[in-house]
Amino acid sequence: MAASLRRLALVPDPHPGESLLSWVDALAKRNRVGRMQALGLAAFVRPDASWYRPSVLFGTYLTAEAMARVQVTTGISAERQRRMTIMHYADGVLPAPPSSQHRQTVTAWLARLQLVLPARSRACPACLRENGGRWLLRWRLTWSFACVRHRVFLLGECRGCGKGLHQVLPGPGSSAVCGQYDWTDSGRACPRVISRMRPPRLHDEHLLECQRRLDALVDRPHRAGGLDTLRSLHLALEDIRISYDDAPSLPDTDAVLHRRWHGHRGALWYPDDPLLTAALIKIATVGGLRDSQDAYSQADMASWPADGFPPATTDDAPHVNRFGARCRAIACAAWVPPGQGRVVHAKGKPHVLCPAHVGHPTVLNIGPFVPAAP
C-alpha cells in the first residue's frame, strides 16, 4: 500500500498544541484544496476507498493503519499525529481509553466522560487571528472556558447562526469560516468569519487564575496528580448541575456570567457552553467562602499550587477537599465548601463528606452520582 502513496510537497508543520482537524485545514490551505480533498491527499482515506465521509469522531483517535499512511504522505510521525488527537489526553488528564477502539466503544467512552467535545470546539478569535487559524486541541476539553492571554471567555457557538464551531460535519467547514448549513435559509452555509467574532470579556481574576492552572494541567496531561484534581473538580461540577437548588448561589463575578446563570432555566449542560462552565467553576471553588478573603485564599488554593500541579501525596495522607461539593452521606444534602470536610475514595473516585459525617465513611451514598452512558 505504501508504494501507491506519494509524498506531498507542501506540508505545514503542526502548530504547538494544535488539533488534528485544524492541521488538516492548514494542509488544505497550503495546497489550495478543500478539506475533503486534503483528507484524501494525506491518505486519511484508504487508496482503494471509492467514497469517504469523516465521522464526528475524526480527531478523537486514529488507527495504526491510518497513521502509517499519513506518515508516508506527509512525513508527520505517528506519535506526533497522536498528540493532535483526544487520545493524547487518555490515561493522563482523561481516564484510560477503552481496550477496543471501535467507533461505538469510543463514542460510549466519551459520553461517560462528559469532558470532551468530539464534534465541535471552543475558540478564542484573537488567538486564531494571531496564529493563522490554528485551533488548539485543549479547546475541545470542557476545562477550557477562557483565554488567559487575551482575557476573554471562549466562544462555544457561532455568533451568527448559533451552531457549534469547527465541526467536521455538516458544511464545507474550515478553520476560518463557520460554514454550518442553515436549513431555515435554503440550506445556505453561514459565512461568518470566526476570527472576527467578539467574545465576552473576562475581568474576574479568580477565574483567570483557575483557567491558568487548568491549562497547566492539560498542557502536561501525564503529570502525576492531574487526573485526580480534574476528577475532583468534575464531580463538584456534577454536584452543582444535578442539585443546583441546594448549592450556593453564584458569587460576585462578571455580569455576563450572572446573566447566563440566571437564564439557564435549569438546563445545565455546561460542556456546550463555556459561560456555564465558568459559572460552575466559580461556585465550586469559592462558593460559601466569598465573605472572607483569607479563608478563600487558604481553602481554595492551598491544595492547588500555582504551577497547576498538586503535590505528591501518600496513601496515608489526608485527601483535601479542593472544590466545593455536596456531602455524599445518605440523606445529607449539606454543601461542603472548599478546604472543609474530608475526601474518601470509593469505586476509584473521590467523594466528599461534611464534618458531621467525616468519621462515618460507611454511610457513603454514591449511587446517583456515577455517570452512565446515555
Side-chain angles (χ1 to χ4, degrees):
M1 181 179 297
S4 63
L5 301 174
R6 67 181 183 87
R7 175 66 181 270
L8 298 176
L10 302 176
V11 178
D13 288 332
H15 185 81
E18 185 177 16
S19 72
L20 182 65
L21 183 60
S22 174
W23 177 77
V24 169
D25 285 340
L27 179 69
K29 183 178 180 181
R30 179 69 62 87
N31 288 272
R32 299 184 179 182
V33 297
R35 177 186 286 176
M36 295 300 295
Q37 291 173 291
L39 290 170
L41 290 176
F44 287 102
V45 187
R46 292 196 310 270
D48 58 346
S50 59
W51 185 85
Y52 175 75
R53 185 179 179 89
S55 74
V56 295
L57 292 179
F58 181 84
T60 300
Y61 72 100
L62 289 173
T63 65
E65 178 185 358
M67 288 190 291
R69 293 196 305 266
V70 174
Q71 183 169 352
V72 172
T73 59
T74 67
I76 306 297
S77 68
E79 177 57 30
R80 202 169 184 185
Q81 293 176 51
R82 190 178 188 276
R83 289 203 300 268
M84 293 189 284
T85 68
I86 295 299
M87 283 300 172
H88 172 57
Y89 299 123
D91 206 17
V93 295
L94 295 182
S99 56
S100 172
Q101 292 191 5
H102 292 296
R103 181 178 301 179
Q104 292 183 347
T105 305
V106 174
T107 301
W109 177 66
L110 292 176
R112 287 194 300 269
L113 291 182
Q114 301 178 353
L115 296 173
V116 180
L117 305 173
R120 59 191 295 179
S121 178
R122 297 172 175 179
C124 171
C127 286
L128 294 176
R129 289 194 300 269
E130 293 177 357
N131 64 22
R134 302 298 186 96
W135 293 64
L136 301 184
L137 181 62
R138 60 174 151 87
W139 288 346
R140 290 189 176 271
L141 299 181
T142 298
W143 308 122
S144 295
F145 62 86
C147 175
V148 174
R149 180 178 178 184
H150 297 105
R151 301 176 72 92
V152 297
F153 291 103
L154 299 182
L155 289 179
E157 60 185 25
C158 175
R159 299 303 291 264
C161 66
K163 297 183 181 295
L165 297 173
H166 204 47
Q167 298 190 27
V168 180
L169 295 171
S174 71
S175 61
V177 178
C178 172
Q180 301 301 301
Y181 287 128
D182 184 0
W183 300 112
T184 65
D185 188 13
S186 303
R188 187 174 65 92
C190 178
R192 290 291 186 103
V193 178
I194 299 171
S195 61
R196 296 177 184 173
M197 297 179 186
R198 298 181 62 181
R201 297 290 301 176
L202 173 56
H203 304 285
D204 190 321
E205 295 294 336
H206 174 74
L207 284 175
L208 284 169
E209 179 64 12
C210 285
Q211 184 64 81
R212 189 186 67 80
R213 298 185 185 197
L214 288 169
D215 288 347
L217 289 173
V218 171
D219 287 344
R220 298 179 64 183
H222 301 285
R223 176 75 174 260
L227 177 59
D228 180 63
T229 296
L230 296 185
R231 180 184 293 163
S232 299
L233 179 56
H234 177 55
L235 288 175
L237 302 191
E238 285 294 288
D239 273 352
I240 301 170
R241 184 182 71 84
I242 295 172
S243 305
Y244 60 87
D245 288 335
D246 298 322
S249 60
L250 178 64
D252 185 34
T253 183
D254 292 335
V256 66
L257 284 191
H258 282 284
R259 289 196 298 269
R260 185 67 187 93
W261 180 251
H262 293 297
H264 65 69
R265 299 178 182 176
L268 289 176
W269 187 238
Y270 57 92
D272 293 337
D273 192 329
L275 293 180
L276 281 183
T277 301
L280 289 170
I281 288 178
K282 181 74 174 182
I283 295 173
T285 53
V286 301
L289 295 177
R290 57 189 179 279
D291 295 331
S292 172
Q293 184 63 29
D294 291 338
Y296 146 79
S297 300
Q298 180 180 2
D300 177 39
M301 299 299 184
S303 65
W304 201 6
D307 63 358
F309 303 111
T313 59
T314 63
D315 292 338
D316 297 332
H319 296 282
V320 180
N321 173 25
R322 297 186 178 95
F323 313 105
R326 201 180 74 160
C327 178
R328 296 300 177 87
I330 297 175
C332 181
W335 181 262
V336 188
Q340 300 183 22
R342 181 182 176 186
V343 175
V344 296
H345 282 256
K347 294 187 176 181
K349 296 183 179 180
H351 302 278
V352 176
L353 293 175
C354 68
H357 294 101
V358 163
H360 307 280
T362 56
V363 302
L364 191 67
N365 177 21
I366 62 173
F369 296 94
V370 178

